[in-house]
Amino acid sequence: MAKKPAAPVPVAELVRLALLNVANATGDVKLGGKGGLFPTASGPNKEAADACMTAAVPLLTVLRTEGKAQIVGLTPAGFERIAGELAEDKVGPLAKAIAAAAPAAARIEFIQSVIGRTPFAAPELTPLLEEAVAAEKAEQEARIEAAKKRREAEEIALAALERAKALLEERRRNRLDALRREYELEGAKATELPEPAPRVEPRPEPKAAAPAPASAPEPKTDEERDFRRYTADRLAAAWRDAWTDGKTEGRDYLETAMWNIRGMQMIGEPGQQIAFNGRVHESEQPAAPGDPLTVLRPGWLLKTDDEDYVALKAAVGDL
């Protein structure tokens, strides 16, 4: 009568036997292949190998690779699984080897667990515990020092940022003060300037130039005309910077001042369709006289009895 085939060993039992083999081994232990814990890579052997190596908490870990062979050892979780089946004299040395490969915090928890279960292992593990506690303290001190340096760097950066903001505000006030004084040199009083109205989008229709103050007559001498052009250039340049930087409040203030200068006129309006004229328009794209383009940013013109002085060309192009 033929013998019945032996019943397959349950996966859980294969796992248990593999862990005990690693714990009791006196040399290297291979995971698979001939002479390994799991000789075949299919069926229960594969399931047991997966349970040991790829579980959420692995029971075995690869210590090194020799060719295609993987040399494995117990993890703390693998040790915990079979510790109750080990002889007391095996617990200390085996736990010491496992703990030595673990990070400081995990090492401390592992040693504490082993000593709690097997007090006789304390002499073997206490020196390692002392090293782990010292290493953990050093890591904590290093983290504290790194955090301190980060905080100091953040404080330096914040102080520098506040200083930069203060300098920019100082620059803004200096420029406004210079513009007020230039306006007064035109014969007007800065105190007569109205406060700039809040900007409302879409942009309002072009304002009609306000009549110049009676105290600012048409310049007669070359020096007076040169100074007026210089003032127009400065105001137009500041207005262009405010436009580029999106500072609507500063731009409105400048426009208020510029409209009150005799002969100051805006060239074009954003979105306006124009025929290109190189005298009053500038374009980043090639353009010939008469080409239909769109105003992207207005310009400024100082109109006098003698000439039309372009302080800032209008930027034009295709939308």
Side-chain angles (χ1 to χ4, degrees), residues 204-226:
E205 292 298 319
K207 307 172 191 175
S215 56
E218 188 71 23
K220 300 298 183 183
T221 67
D222 290 341
E223 290 78 8
E224 290 175 344
R225 282 189 282 271
D226 287 343

Side-chain angles (χ1 to χ4, degrees), residues 16-304:
R16 171 181 165 275
L17 292 174
L19 297 178
L20 286 172
N21 284 338
V22 175
N24 292 309
T26 56
D28 293 339
V29 179
K30 295 192 299 181
L31 178 64
K34 186 177 180 180
L37 296 173
F38 308 106
T40 61
S42 61
N45 273 318
K46 182 180 185 307
E47 294 180 32
D50 289 343
C52 289
M53 301 296 296
T54 62
V57 181
L59 305 176
L60 294 175
T61 184
V62 177
L63 302 178
R64 67 181 187 279
T65 301
E66 295 181 357
K68 294 183 178 180
Q70 293 179 314
I71 308 303
V72 296
L74 290 174
T75 65
F79 175 87
E80 296 286 348
R81 179 75 68 89
I82 47 89
E85 300 183 50
L86 298 176
E88 286 188 354
D89 61 338
K90 294 280 294 182
V91 172
L94 182 59
K96 182 178 180 180
I98 295 172
R107 190 185 315 166
I108 293 171
E109 293 179 4
F110 175 66
I111 293 175
Q112 182 180 4
S113 173
V114 174
I115 292 177
R117 179 189 296 107
T118 312
F120 290 109
E124 189 89 30
L125 297 177
T126 298
L128 200 61
L129 180 61
E130 291 177 348
E131 293 177 6
V133 170
E136 184 182 50
K137 182 179 180 181
E139 291 175 1
Q140 292 169 345
E141 292 296 332
R143 287 197 300 270
I144 292 171
E145 184 64 23
K148 180 181 177 182
K149 289 181 178 179
R150 284 197 304 272
R151 180 59 182 169
E152 290 174 351
E154 290 172 359
E155 290 177 352
I156 292 172
L158 288 173
L161 180 60
E162 291 300 320
R163 177 58 179 159
K165 289 167 62 178
L167 288 171
L168 291 174
E169 176 62 18
E170 180 181 348
R171 176 178 180 265
R172 186 185 74 84
R173 292 182 180 279
N174 290 342
R175 293 178 69 184
L176 289 176
D177 182 62
L179 290 171
R180 289 191 188 98
R181 284 185 285 169
E182 289 174 3
Y183 184 68
E184 289 174 346
L185 288 173
E186 283 289 310
K189 294 181 180 180
T191 54
E192 296 174 354
L193 286 173
E195 289 295 324
R199 188 173 181 81
V200 178
E201 297 294 345
R203 185 177 173 83
E205 292 298 319
K207 307 172 191 175
S215 56
E218 188 71 23
K220 300 298 183 183
T221 67
D222 290 341
E223 290 78 8
E224 290 175 344
R225 282 189 282 271
D226 287 343
F227 179 77
R228 197 166 189 189
R229 294 191 198 100
Y230 169 77
T231 301
D233 287 339
R234 289 287 304 277
L235 289 170
W239 180 90
R240 180 191 58 210
D241 291 344
W243 177 284
T244 302
D245 296 340
K247 297 178 178 178
T248 56
E249 182 178 350
R251 194 166 82 228
D252 285 338
Y253 178 87
L254 289 165
E255 286 181 11
T256 301
M258 295 164 82
W259 286 124
N260 281 279
I261 294 177
R262 185 193 299 273
M264 203 71 176
Q265 299 178 6
M266 184 177 281
I267 303 172
E269 278 290 310
Q272 179 184 357
Q273 300 298 308
I274 54 90
F276 182 75
N277 180 347
R279 183 174 177 276
V280 294
H281 300 140
E282 61 183 7
S283 174
E284 293 184 354
Q285 66 190 62
D291 283 354
L293 294 172
T294 302
V295 175
L296 306 178
R297 188 257 302 140
W300 286 94
L301 176 78
L302 179 62
K303 191 174 185 65
T304 67

